[in-house]
């Protein structure tokens, strides 16, 4: 959905995660992640793709797969480094305080 004049100046990164409810209760979850490439100093929010809702409900012991997308454009990363995203280590940060907690995606 990126306009033709912008498609060479940005990237849409898609990440797939698996979420499991390990409790005996119904879990209502609203994912909140920040996409980060520390080596390229790039970051932006990562939001769920599809269904029109950012909210996820999981029954006890249910597992769901969720796809997230992060838009990386000129305000997030220098255009000369866009092609380096494919080979960089990507993290999804879900907590900054009191400890930084993250999921690491590497190739």
């Amino acid at each position: 959905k990126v306009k033709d004049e912008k498609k060479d100046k940005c990237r849409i990164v898609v990440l797939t995660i698996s979420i499991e409810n390990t409790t005996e209760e119904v879990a209502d979850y609203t994912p909140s992640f920040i996409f980060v490439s520390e080596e390229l100093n790039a970051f932006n929010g990562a939001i769920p793709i599809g269904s029109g809702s950012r909210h996820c409900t999981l029954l006890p012991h249910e597992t769901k797969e969720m796809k997230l997308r992060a838009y990386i454009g000129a305000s997030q990363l220098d255009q000369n480094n866009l092609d380096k995203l494919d080979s960089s280590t990507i993290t999804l940060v879900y907590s900054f305080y009191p400890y930084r907690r993250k999921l690491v995606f590497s190739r």
Side-chain angles (χ1 to χ4, degrees), residues 13-84:
V13 179
V14 177
L15 303 147
T16 303
I17 61 173
S18 180
I19 301 171
E20 180 182 5
N21 178 0
T22 60
T23 71
E24 299 297 328
E25 299 177 11
V26 174
D28 290 317
Y29 177 65
T30 302
S32 178
F33 292 103
I34 302 294
F35 165 94
V36 178
S37 172
E38 291 180 19
E39 60 204 78
L40 298 176
N41 196 28
F43 59 92
N44 203 356
I47 60 172
I49 296 173
S51 76
S53 174
R54 293 184 180 190
H55 183 77
C56 180
T57 300
L58 295 159
L59 299 174
H61 304 286
E62 182 180 16
T63 300
K64 286 187 178 179
E65 187 175 273
M66 180 177 284
K67 291 190 182 295
L68 305 163
R69 70 172 168 82
Y71 173 88
I72 303 299
S75 61
Q76 291 83 25
L77 180 64
D78 183 284
Q79 184 178 346
N80 296 328
N81 289 328
L82 283 175
D83 290 334
K84 295 179 184 177

